[in-house]
Amino acid sequence: MIKENRPVQGSESTGDKPARREETLGESIRYFCVLLLAVFAVRSLVVEPFNIPSGSMIPTLQIGDFVLVSKFSYGYSRFSFPFSPNVFSGRIFGAEPHRGDVAVFRFTRDTSVDYIKRIIGLPGDHIQVTGGHLILNGIEVPRTALGHYEVLDENNRLLSGELYRESLPGSGRRPPVDHDILKLTDEGFANDTPEYVVPEGSFFAMGDDRDDSADSRFQGDGPDDLGFVPMQNLVGRAPVVLFSMDMRHPAWQFWYWPTEIRWNRFLHLVI
């Protein structure tokens, strides 16, 4: 008897695996371009990380902090985008910052450089520093002494002074912004300034390390003088520290990385 060899039903699907479809070079390039476009969109329109390289915002921000900057807080200008393409002027979806915001903006003398300071004055505000005390619209901004404070700056120089809690009047019906500042001295030009009136379309910025900050108190022609900052130069608001590293050792000495992480500053709110 001759037996007929018939395949068991369904054996074609179980015995023969479907051929794998090879990804073409064109598809790989397309996926890579989509990824780049997504990264570009997030960094331009949503959030962007920034590293803090100097001590001008001590004690609020420490050297080695990595902050996330909200790009949509103030709308968008050409400085919101990588390489600052000069495709339009002014701001779109623009919103005025609030007094007390910690903001990233482009340096007035070199717009390729990012600065981060606290916004102290808005258009029309009268600002003066007298004897080391901040005067806003004719009223001394209240502050409370918190004690002695010492820290090393980016040049390994000891900053030794007094810590204060300053209560900066809010804007736009917002409550006062209570934040810490560091005072090293009450002497020098930065502590006895003329009265400034913030022009329309600009803001007045100062560092929380009041005696180690090149900010809007300096209105001359020096290479570090900031002056009034045009609203167009705003990049975004810095609401949170993503993480922070002490960075006392060279970056290639990776075995020190775990000990240099400041765990207490992980997702630390910026006030």
Side-chain angles (χ1 to χ4, degrees), residues 199-222:
E200 195 64 33
S202 298
F203 62 89
F204 191 99
M206 292 174 66
D208 287 348
D209 182 357
R210 290 290 165 80
D211 300 300
D212 196 27
S213 172
D215 51 40
S216 293
R217 288 172 290 183
F218 301 92
Q219 301 264 337
D221 295 325

Side-chain angles (χ1 to χ4, degrees), residues 24-43:
T24 66
L25 177 61
E27 288 175 328
S28 298
I29 294 175
R30 184 180 65 181
Y31 293 148
F32 181 70
C33 291
V34 169
L35 178 61
L36 284 181
L37 183 61
V39 171
F40 178 85
V42 169
R43 290 188 70 240

Side-chain angles (χ1 to χ4, degrees), residues 121-128 137 194-200 202-204 216 219 228:
L122 297 174
D125 280 344
H126 293 240
I127 297 168
Q128 187 172 16
N137 295 324
E195 183 180 75
Y196 303 107
V197 181
V198 184
E200 195 64 33
S202 298
F203 62 89
F204 191 99
S216 293
Q219 301 264 337
F228 299 117

Side-chain angles (χ1 to χ4, degrees), residues 136-227:
L136 178 64
N137 295 324
I139 300 174
E140 182 177 328
V141 176
R143 69 185 194 188
T144 304
L146 300 179
H148 190 67
Y149 187 91
E150 290 186 349
V151 67
L152 296 176
D153 69 4
E154 66 274 17
N155 299 313
N156 211 33
R157 180 172 59 97
L158 179 66
L159 303 179
S160 179
E162 298 299 316
L163 196 65
Y164 292 91
R165 175 66 52 84
E166 186 176 79
S167 186
L168 190 66
S171 62
R173 298 184 179 180
R174 291 192 176 187
V177 178
D178 296 331
H179 63 99
D180 293 347
I181 64 170
L182 175 61
K183 286 293 298 169
L184 306 177
T185 180
D186 287 331
E187 306 295 328
F189 169 80
N191 289 298
D192 283 290
T193 72
E195 183 180 75
Y196 303 107
V197 181
V198 184
E200 195 64 33
S202 298
F203 62 89
F204 191 99
M206 292 174 66
D208 287 348
D209 182 357
R210 290 290 165 80
D211 300 300
D212 196 27
S213 172
D215 51 40
S216 293
R217 288 172 290 183
F218 301 92
Q219 301 264 337
D221 295 325
D224 297 324
D225 291 350
L226 179 62

Side-chain angles (χ1 to χ4, degrees), residues 54-262:
S54 72
S56 69
M57 280 297 292
I58 290 174
T60 302
L61 297 175
Q62 301 291 326
I63 300 166
D65 281 352
F66 288 81
V67 297
L68 276 183
V69 173
S70 167
K71 303 296 286 290
F72 52 82
S73 294
Y74 308 129
Y76 306 97
S77 74
R78 67 187 184 92
F79 299 119
S80 303
F81 302 93
F83 311 113
S84 305
N86 194 13
V87 292
F88 64 94
S89 61
R91 303 187 67 80
I92 56 176
F93 307 114
E96 189 170 275
H98 288 277
R99 198 181 294 117
D101 285 357
V102 175
V104 172
F105 54 89
R106 294 298 175 90
F107 182 37
T108 51
R109 297 190 176 278
D110 181 357
T111 55
S112 67
V113 177
D114 291 303
Y115 266 34
I116 184 166
K117 306 284 183 186
R118 189 176 298 275
I119 296 178
I120 300 295
L122 297 174
D125 280 344
H126 293 240
I127 297 168
Q128 187 172 16
V129 181
T130 302
H133 293 262
L134 177 62
I135 311 296
L136 178 64
N137 295 324
I139 300 174
E140 182 177 328
V141 176
R143 69 185 194 188
T144 304
L146 300 179
H148 190 67
Y149 187 91
E150 290 186 349
V151 67
L152 296 176
D153 69 4
E154 66 274 17
N155 299 313
N156 211 33
R157 180 172 59 97
L158 179 66
L159 303 179
S160 179
E162 298 299 316
L163 196 65
Y164 292 91
R165 175 66 52 84
E166 186 176 79
S167 186
L168 190 66
S171 62
R173 298 184 179 180
R174 291 192 176 187
V177 178
D178 296 331
H179 63 99
D180 293 347
I181 64 170
L182 175 61
K183 286 293 298 169
L184 306 177
T185 180
D186 287 331
E187 306 295 328
F189 169 80
N191 289 298
D192 283 290
T193 72
E195 183 180 75
Y196 303 107
V197 181
V198 184
E200 195 64 33
S202 298
F203 62 89
F204 191 99
M206 292 174 66
D208 287 348
D209 182 357
R210 290 290 165 80
D211 300 300
D212 196 27
S213 172
D215 51 40
S216 293
R217 288 172 290 183
F218 301 92
Q219 301 264 337
D221 295 325
D224 297 324
D225 291 350
L226 179 62
F228 299 117
V229 184
M231 292 291 183
Q232 178 174 300
N233 288 32
L234 282 167
V235 174
R237 187 173 67 90
V240 66
V241 175
L242 183 61
F243 68 95
S244 181
M245 295 189 68
D246 197 2
M247 297 192 296
R248 286 170 295 176
H249 299 87
W252 61 269
Q253 294 181 349
F254 60 88
W255 52 89
Y256 286 112
W257 291 359
T259 63
E260 292 190 336
I261 297 175
R262 300 183 181 115

